[in-house]
Amino acid sequence: MATILVVGEQAHGQLKKATLNALTAAQQLAQKNGGQIHGVVVGGAGEELAQFVQNVHFVQNAQFEHALAETHAAAVAEAAKKIGATDVVIAATAYGKDIAPRVAAKLGAGIASDVLAVVSANQFKRAMWAGNAIATVEVTTPVKVITVRTTEFPVAQKAGSPGQAQQLEVAAPQAKTKFLEFNEVKSARPELTEASVVVSGGRGTKGDFKPIEQLADVLGAAVGASRAVVDAGWQPNDLQVGQTGKVVAPKLYIAAGISGAIQHLAGMKGSKTIVAINKDPEAPIFQVADYGLVADLFKALPELSEEVKKLK
Amino acid sequence: MKILVTVKRVEDYESKIKVKPDNTWIVTEGVNYRANPFDEIAVEEALRLRDANMPSEVVAVSIGSGTAQAEIRSALAMGADRGILVKHDGFLDSDAVARILVKVVEKEKPDLILMGKQAVDVDDNVCGQLLAEYLGYGQATFASKKESLESAEEKAKKPGLKLGADKKTMQVVREVDGGVETLELQLPAVVTVDLRLNIPRYASLPNIMKAKKKPIEEIAPGVDVSPKVKVVKVEAPPARAAGVKVPDVATLVQKLHDEAKVV
Ligand SMILES: Cc1cc2nc3c(=O)[nH]c(=O)nc-3n(C[C@H](O)[C@H](O)[C@H](O)COP(=O)(O)OP(=O)(O)OC[C@H]3O[C@@H](n4cnc5c(N)ncnc54)[C@H](O)[C@@H]3O)c2cc1C
Ligand SMILES: Nc1ncnc2c1ncn2[C@@H]1O[C@H](COP(=O)(O)O)[C@@H](O)[C@H]1O
């Protein structure tokens, strides 16, 4: 029997939605193994997680205020030891990627990262070589840690009756890292990884994102970008879609002025419908696009915005 | 300051990657190899830190078969002082790599370990964090800087990582969800680098010649390398069905509305 610990992620005391994608992966694992799911969340949001998971352990004291990998990994590992966890499941967000390997090291566990599918109790699918290959990996250790690609697992539903959230007393280790500041990029648009429509711009925008943003607002979409755009400082780093950026899988992905390098495709190939707008008919993006339009984005996008408005 | 920087030999991202018919691995014939792009950024940062804080030394380490000499040489040609090759033929999981690196760190006692955030072959993104935990060090993953790659700071080749006046701490800006965070690390520490930290230099011909004379020490792993995570099968990704080209915006909108039903 497995004892699965799903790790919650929170910001300002509110549970992040990615946690619920990770929970679905944990539930799939429980189905393969038979077993129980516990939750742990460091820094608050214990009650909120207990809406979804029966047994929740939360760590809330000033020493854990900032999400330092050293302290948060220690708290998660403590919770895992306390319940005798056989599996620890975390969403592969920046937070999850930062802490999960440290949790694995503390537990002597093997780690499978950015998992796409649960094959069996100890086998998982994951992408390698920028998604050019899908590997099935086997974790051979008694305790396993996995981080999961959120786009591959739907959001879990609330439990029939809320569970119990109990405080876990852990002493924070003396951290060798100090938090100095966080510069938040605020946006009124939906979050990239959660949006059902994404409009992305590439180098073809030459840094002018107005037509991209206008269309995004008409569609209620999130804005994304290629690496070229983010490297140039035209858009913030956390809008980068791709192998080494965010992975998205919206209902509709519109790529404008993006050539379609394999590293970009790795982050959006899973979208349901893909539209490409590029003035080069040979651009590789057209090979993955359901609908391709060979056009100048500065002409096509405003037209598109107008046409969509007419529909609404 | 002594800086240890890791360099992994990986398939060139410009090479076509195909899965082997027996689903055991990818086809390696005809594929070019090079240093992991993130590791080149790590080497560049190490060199900038060294040159801004002399006397300092940059040691490049790679773990792999004898062919990985080439990637150590390219780090030396960029300007690293010496190399270490931990020789092992065959697959190593990231955990084994991290435990091997612990041994190298114990021997070399660097003040800073700079690594890539992920190796673009296995795309694990775990090695640096594992190493930091095994060593009991602090870490800063996804190191970046506030200035863009087209800024004056970058043109002046300034280090993005800021060594404290006492040389015992380092300030690191990191890319996280929703913004950028700044941490102060107590050294020694592990830093894994992201794409926006710097633009790596090209090795000049004289430096390539000079690199041939720089020493590369060869050592054995010195740890049990049996994998905690084994690759049991490698498959081609599902292909997307070919789409259509539309002549104009009106047709596009009509298709998105009536056919795909997404607007
Ligand atoms: C280690 C590594 C990791 C990487 N990770 C990522 C990643 O995560 N995400 C990512 O995106 N990239 C990544 N890349 C970079 C990737 O290889 C490409 O360089 C990048 O995606 C190119 O961005 P682009 O398509 O915007 O620019 P370009 O390739 O320059 O394409 C611009 C396109 O715009 C078109 N265009 C120009 N003007 C117009 C116009 N007026 N109207 C319409 N079309 C126009 C052009 O025809 C062209 O196709 C990575 C690379 C490496 C080496
Ligand atoms: N065999 C290796 N030799 C040298 N460095 C490595 C090796 N494997 C991983 N690394 C380092 O660890 C980083 C992260 O790799 P990974 O966690 O495997 O994606 C890489 O960018 C390298 O710097």
Side-chain angles (χ1 to χ4, degrees), chain B residues 21-94:
Chain B
D22 67 0
N23 293 108
T24 52
W25 198 247
I26 54 159
V27 177
T28 51
E29 291 85 44
V31 171
N32 293 325
Y33 285 81
R34 53 168 292 160
N36 183 35
F38 287 98
D39 298 351
E40 290 180 340
I41 297 171
V43 172
E44 175 66 34
E45 196 63 21
L47 298 175
R48 292 184 189 185
L49 281 167
R50 177 194 64 188
D51 296 343
N53 299 285
M54 284 306 225
S56 288
E57 188 187 27
V58 174
V59 182
V61 54
S62 191
I63 303 158
S65 63
T67 48
Q69 288 255 0
E71 282 62 44
I72 299 178
R73 283 280 169 227
S74 39
L76 297 177
M78 284 174 73
D81 299 293
R82 62 186 170 89
I84 299 174
L85 172 66
V86 184
K87 208 165 165 201
H88 179 81
D89 296 313
F91 177 78
L92 287 172
D93 70 353
S94 296

Side-chain angles (χ1 to χ4, degrees), chain A residues 16 68-70 93-94 97-98 101-102 104-106 108-111 113 123 125-141 175-185 219 227 230-233 237-238 240 243-244 246 251-252 262-263 269-275 281 286 288-294 300 303-304 307-308 311, chain B residues 11 13 16-17 19 25-26 38 41 95 117-118 120-126 129-130 132-134 136-142 146 148-150 171 174-186 194-196 227-238 240-250 252-253 255-257 259-263:
Chain A
K16 292 245 189 127
L68 299 175
E70 284 165 274
T93 56
K97 289 172 183 169
D98 196 39
R102 294 194 79 126
K106 280 187 184 291
I111 175 167
S113 59
Q123 293 196 346
K125 287 200 183 198
R126 51 183 310 278
M128 305 209 294
W129 293 281
N132 275 312
I134 306 296
T136 303
V137 298
E138 182 172 312
V139 184
T140 61
T141 46
K176 299 186 175 103
T177 318
K178 202 162 86 189
F179 169 87
L180 294 184
E181 61 169 14
F182 179 52
N183 289 314
E184 197 171 350
V185 181
L219 291 166
R227 174 184 173 187
V230 179
D231 278 2
N237 62 267
D238 90 321
Q240 180 179 315
Q243 176 195 17
T244 61
K246 295 265 159 59
K251 227 168 52 184
L252 173 62
I262 181 80
Q263 294 90 356
K269 250 188 339 190
S271 306
K272 194 167 153 275
T273 300
I274 298 174
V275 171
F286 288 123
V288 299
D290 299 286
Y291 304 109
L293 177 64
V294 180
E303 260 179 64
L304 189 50
E307 291 287 328
V308 174
L311 278 179
Chain B
E11 287 75 19
Y13 50 84
K16 182 106 194 91
I17 302 295
V19 169
W25 198 247
I26 54 159
F38 287 98
I41 297 171
D95 188 79
K117 80 163 177 183
Q118 84 194 61
V120 300
D121 51 358
V122 293
D123 282 332
D124 268 1
N125 197 334
V126 303
Q129 298 90 312
L130 286 171
E133 181 62 41
Y134 285 137
Y137 288 4
Q139 75 183 37
T141 49
F142 325 138
K146 287 186 181 152
S148 92
L149 291 178
E150 292 178 2
Q171 274 193 24
R174 46 189 304 265
E175 296 188 359
V176 294
D177 292 338
V180 286
E181 181 183 76
T182 311
L183 295 180
E184 185 177 272
L185 303 177
Q186 203 175 299
D194 215 319
L195 295 168
R196 256 74 58 186
K228 290 181 180 167
V229 181
K230 288 195 289 207
V231 177
V232 294
K233 190 159 78 183
V234 178
E235 294 165 292
R240 268 193 90 92
V244 295
K245 289 243 172 74
V246 292
D248 50 37
V249 169
L252 176 61
V253 173
K255 294 229 182 233
L256 289 176
H257 187 67
E259 210 172 81
K261 300 191 174 16
V262 285
V263 297

Side-chain angles (χ1 to χ4, degrees), chain A residues 202-204 206 226-228 240-245 257-259 261 263-264 278-280 295-298, chain B residues 13 37-38 120 195:
Chain A
R203 203 197 308 269
K206 300 189 176 64
S226 70
R227 174 184 173 187
Q240 180 179 315
V241 171
Q243 176 195 17
T244 61
I258 294 179
S259 62
Q263 294 90 356
H264 187 80
N278 195 304
K279 64 180 185 191
D280 172 10
D296 184 333
L297 72 92
F298 291 104
Chain B
Y13 50 84
F38 287 98
V120 300
L195 295 168

Side-chain angles (χ1 to χ4, degrees), chain A:
Chain A
M1 281 274 276
T3 305
I4 302 162
L5 182 64
V6 63
V7 182
E9 177 175 350
Q10 57 83 30
H12 315 296
Q14 272 196 317
L15 199 66
K16 292 245 189 127
K17 201 169 139 207
T19 305
L20 303 179
N21 304 107
L23 177 55
T24 298
Q27 287 166 347
Q28 291 181 8
L29 201 51
Q31 273 159 18
K32 305 259 188 232
N33 281 347
Q36 259 195 333
I37 300 176
H38 289 245
V40 63
V41 56
V42 187
E47 296 289 339
E48 206 183 334
L49 185 55
Q51 303 280 311
F52 299 87
V53 183
Q54 287 305 307
N55 301 296
V56 170
H57 314 267
F58 65 93
V59 179
Q60 201 161 26
N61 83 49
Q63 293 171 301
F64 294 96
E65 185 191 349
H66 299 296
L68 299 175
E70 284 165 274
T71 56
H72 278 227
V76 170
E78 269 303 305
K81 283 183 191 156
K82 188 177 169 212
I83 64 164
T86 53
D87 301 84
V88 179
V89 181
I90 315 182
T93 56
Y95 174 74
K97 289 172 183 169
D98 196 39
I99 72 165
R102 294 194 79 126
V103 174
K106 280 187 184 291
L107 299 175
I111 175 167
S113 59
D114 212 6
V115 161
L116 309 175
V118 177
V119 178
S120 70
N122 58 3
Q123 293 196 346
F124 309 95
K125 287 200 183 198
R126 51 183 310 278
M128 305 209 294
W129 293 281
N132 275 312
I134 306 296
T136 303
V137 298
E138 182 172 312
V139 184
T140 61
T141 46
V143 180
K144 305 179 280 292
V145 173
I146 68 167
T147 66
V148 304
R149 185 175 286 190
T150 54
T151 53
E152 299 296 319
F153 299 90
V155 168
Q157 298 304 309
K158 277 197 178 148
S161 58
Q164 290 266 321
Q166 41 178 301
Q167 183 144 3
L168 180 70
E169 294 297 342
V170 273
Q174 198 62 49
K176 299 186 175 103
T177 318
K178 202 162 86 189
F179 169 87
L180 294 184
E181 61 169 14
F182 179 52
N183 289 314
E184 197 171 350
V185 181
K186 290 213 175 70
S187 164
R189 296 194 184 88
E191 207 182 303
L192 186 54
T193 49
E194 293 175 8
S196 61
V197 182
V198 174
V199 185
S200 283
R203 203 197 308 269
T205 62
K206 300 189 176 64
D208 178 4
F209 256 57
K210 265 193 225 84
I212 303 275
E213 287 168 353
Q214 262 164 15
L215 179 60
D217 291 341
V218 171
L219 291 166
V223 167
S226 70
R227 174 184 173 187
V229 165
V230 179
D231 278 2
W234 296 338
Q235 290 294 324
N237 62 267
D238 90 321
L239 295 194
Q240 180 179 315
V241 171
Q243 176 195 17
T244 61
K246 295 265 159 59
V247 178
V248 300
K251 227 168 52 184
L252 173 62
Y253 187 89
I254 302 178
I258 294 179
S259 62
I262 181 80
Q263 294 90 356
H264 187 80
L265 303 186
M268 44 66 79
K269 250 188 339 190
S271 306
K272 194 167 153 275
T273 300
I274 298 174
V275 171
I277 299 173
N278 195 304
K279 64 180 185 191
D280 172 10
E282 302 301 322
I285 190 77
F286 288 123
Q287 289 164 22
V288 299
D290 299 286
Y291 304 109
L293 177 64
V294 180
D296 184 333
L297 72 92
F298 291 104
K299 200 171 154 288
L301 289 183
E303 260 179 64
L304 189 50
S305 295
E306 283 313 308
E307 291 287 328
V308 174
K309 261 192 231 160
K310 275 191 224 155
L311 278 179
K312 297 205 163 166

